[in-house]
Each structure stands twice: as C-alpha cells, then as structure tokens.
Amino acid sequence: MRVTKLPAAPTSALKVLIVLVLALTMSACSWFHHGGDPLDTLPLPQLYAKAHNDVMHADYSAAEKAYQRLIARFPSGPFNEQAQLELAYAQYKNNKPDDAYSTVNRFIKSNPLNPHVDYAYYLRGMINFDRTAGIIERAFSSEAEGKQSRRDQGYNLKSFDDFAELSRRFPDSAYAADARQRMIYLRNVLAQYEINVAKFYLRNKGYVASADRAQYVIEHYQESPQAGDALAILCRSYLALNQKQQADQVRQVLTQNYPDHPYLKDPKWPHSPSMLRKLIPFSGHY
C-alpha cells in the first residue's frame, strides 16, 4: 500500500498573515532579550508565527510549547482554533500519541464547523494508525502488515473507524482518498489477525472457536484476500465437528470463489509450522 506523507495542518486562511508577520519579525532574537518567558509577552500574530515556524523546522517540542501558550493566553478566535489543530499535529510528530489524540478530540468536539475539521478526523486516524507499528516494523515496512496482524488490534480498529467517519462525513475531502486506501490496508490486517487466531484454535482442536473466527471474517471482511482462508478453515472445522452437510456447502462456496485455494488440493491445510521455523525470529509463523 502506498503510504503518503502526512502534511502539516492546513493553514490556508492564515498563510498571507504568517508571511507578513514573519517579515516584520525577522529579528527574532529580540524576543529573548526581555525578562521572563517571551511566549508570555509576544503579540498573538507573532506567537502563532513562531509556533508555526517551529513546526516547519521540525522543532516539535518548541512548537508544542508555543501553541499551548497561545491557546492559554488567547482562548478564542481563529488563531486559537488553528493552534489547537497544529498542536495536535506537533504532538503527533513528537511521538506523543496520547496527548495528540486528546487534543484532536477536543478540537473536533469544540469546532465541528471548522473548515479544517476533515483534517482533524484524518489526523485522528493517523495517530491510531501509527500506534501499532514499532521501530523494527517501520524499518522493514514490507513485513509490517504481517507483524501488525499478530498484535492487539484495538488501535487498528479505532483507526479504521476514524477513517471511515472521515470518508462518510467528508467524501470529497482532500484526505478521503488516502483514508480509504488505509481502510483497505487495515481491513486486511484485521482479517489476517482473525485468521491467525482461527488457525491457532484449529491446530489445537478448538473447532468451535476456529469456526467462529472464520465465520467472523466471512461476515465482516468478505472483500479481504483472507476470505478464502476463512472458508477453508470453516470447512475443516465443520468436518472435525461431524457437520458434513455444512462442510460440503462451504466447500462449494470456496470452490466457486477461490478455485486455486490450496485447501482444495490439500485437505490438511493449513499445516503447523515446523519446529525450526518456530525458532526463527520474524519468520511469519503464528
């Protein structure tokens, strides 16, 4: 899946003002030649310009501090609303997902009619989207989906719901297309997680549980590539439970929709991983 770089929070309504303010305050060192914290004395436009400039230079800690002072000192108005949104972005980029999630939720609740609220939903989805990907997984992104499917799926479910809400509320948003692509990726991760659990139950003779997990995939993720695996596991589970009629019906559906599935040629699919494979880190066994 193509993963696009998350853009900085939109500031179209304030771009001209930012340029003018920065042009008038290029002697930024003068901000620090007064007693006390300069953030407590800067005028509103200059304070916002400083915070936004910190974001542009990837100094997210400084940006977070400046946005928080702006919000505290000027509790209303368009600068405040924009600062809340950009604060959430700075916290997200500064690896503070809990703080970022709280900030963006407050923004959505307080500013439902803001012209950039679609971005807020997108950012909320991105915060959860990135929570389950560790450093190693980021380094080896081609394996990320498989590893995520063996982690707790709570954040992936939340991210899927956030992107779904964005797509439903703002189908024409500039962020909707990317959100839909991420939903497809998350759907497949969630489906694979259920398949992994179903395989575990199947191998340990928990046939009722494996059938339940497989049925869940068929009902909720029928468009995922894992739907064929779910049908095969369901068929095996029914056979093990001596429910031959149901097994035959499922096999027919599998044959019609996935004629090349390995189970149709190998009734013992899926096979348990070898002991050697279990000893190899990140080998993909479940």
Side-chain angles (χ1 to χ4, degrees), residues 187 215-224:
R187 178 203 65 193
Q215 187 66 42
Y216 184 87
V217 173
I218 294 167
E219 292 177 354
H220 293 85
Y221 307 119
Q222 58 182 285
E223 295 182 0
S224 71

Side-chain angles (χ1 to χ4, degrees), residues 4-141:
T4 58
K5 183 179 179 182
L6 185 67
T11 58
S12 56
L14 300 172
K15 283 182 180 179
V16 175
L17 180 58
I18 292 169
V19 172
L20 292 174
V21 170
L22 287 175
L24 294 173
T25 57
M26 288 301 292
S27 58
C29 60
S30 64
W31 293 348
F32 302 95
H33 290 169
H34 302 286
D37 190 339
L39 298 181
D40 292 330
T41 58
L42 278 176
L44 173 57
Q46 294 181 16
L47 180 55
Y48 175 82
K50 180 194 181 316
H52 187 78
N53 190 55
D54 288 337
V55 169
M56 294 298 99
H57 288 84
D59 190 351
Y60 301 116
S61 294
E64 180 179 1
K65 181 180 178 182
Y67 284 129
Q68 287 173 334
R69 291 305 303 141
L70 188 154
I71 293 168
R73 290 180 55 201
F74 307 98
S76 62
F79 276 101
N80 179 282
E81 293 182 12
Q82 191 65 31
Q84 290 181 53
L85 192 54
E86 294 188 30
L87 170 61
Y89 176 79
Q91 291 169 329
Y92 163 74
K93 296 295 290 183
N94 204 29
N95 296 316
K96 294 182 177 181
D98 290 335
D99 292 343
Y101 197 72
S102 296
T103 300
V104 79
N105 271 336
R106 285 195 299 271
F107 176 87
I108 291 172
K109 184 177 180 179
S110 302
N111 308 284
L113 301 180
N114 185 280
H116 301 308
V117 72
D118 61 329
Y119 174 81
Y121 282 106
Y122 178 72
L123 178 57
R124 189 169 71 174
M126 285 301 304
I127 292 166
N128 281 322
F129 185 86
D130 285 349
R131 282 186 193 250
T132 51
I135 296 175
I136 295 178
E137 291 165 74
R138 293 172 190 270
F140 301 96
S141 58

Side-chain angles (χ1 to χ4, degrees), residues 118-119 122 166 170-177 180:
D118 61 329
Y119 174 81
Y122 178 72
L166 166 63
F170 308 99
D172 299 324
S173 167
Y175 308 101
R180 285 189 284 267

Side-chain angles (χ1 to χ4, degrees), residues 172-247:
D172 299 324
S173 167
Y175 308 101
D178 187 70
R180 285 189 284 267
Q181 289 298 310
R182 293 178 189 275
M183 287 174 65
I184 294 172
Y185 170 83
L186 289 168
R187 178 203 65 193
N188 295 345
V189 169
L190 292 166
Q192 187 61 55
Y193 174 80
E194 297 296 333
I195 292 296
N196 295 342
V197 177
K199 287 180 180 179
F200 172 82
Y201 284 127
L202 186 67
R203 290 164 181 159
N204 288 275
K205 300 182 179 181
Y207 302 120
V208 173
S210 63
D212 287 343
R213 291 285 184 161
Q215 187 66 42
Y216 184 87
V217 173
I218 294 167
E219 292 177 354
H220 293 85
Y221 307 119
Q222 58 182 285
E223 295 182 0
S224 71
Q226 291 78 9
D229 290 351
L231 288 167
I233 292 171
L234 186 59
C235 186
R236 277 199 59 181
S237 300
Y238 280 151
L239 287 173
L241 294 169
N242 295 316
Q243 297 181 15
K244 189 175 185 304
Q245 183 178 356
Q246 290 92 326

Side-chain angles (χ1 to χ4, degrees), residues 159-181:
S159 181
F160 185 93
D161 290 343
D162 290 333
F163 289 137
E165 188 167 7
L166 166 63
S167 300
R168 183 176 63 254
R169 287 175 176 264
F170 308 99
D172 299 324
S173 167
Y175 308 101
D178 187 70
R180 285 189 284 267
Q181 289 298 310

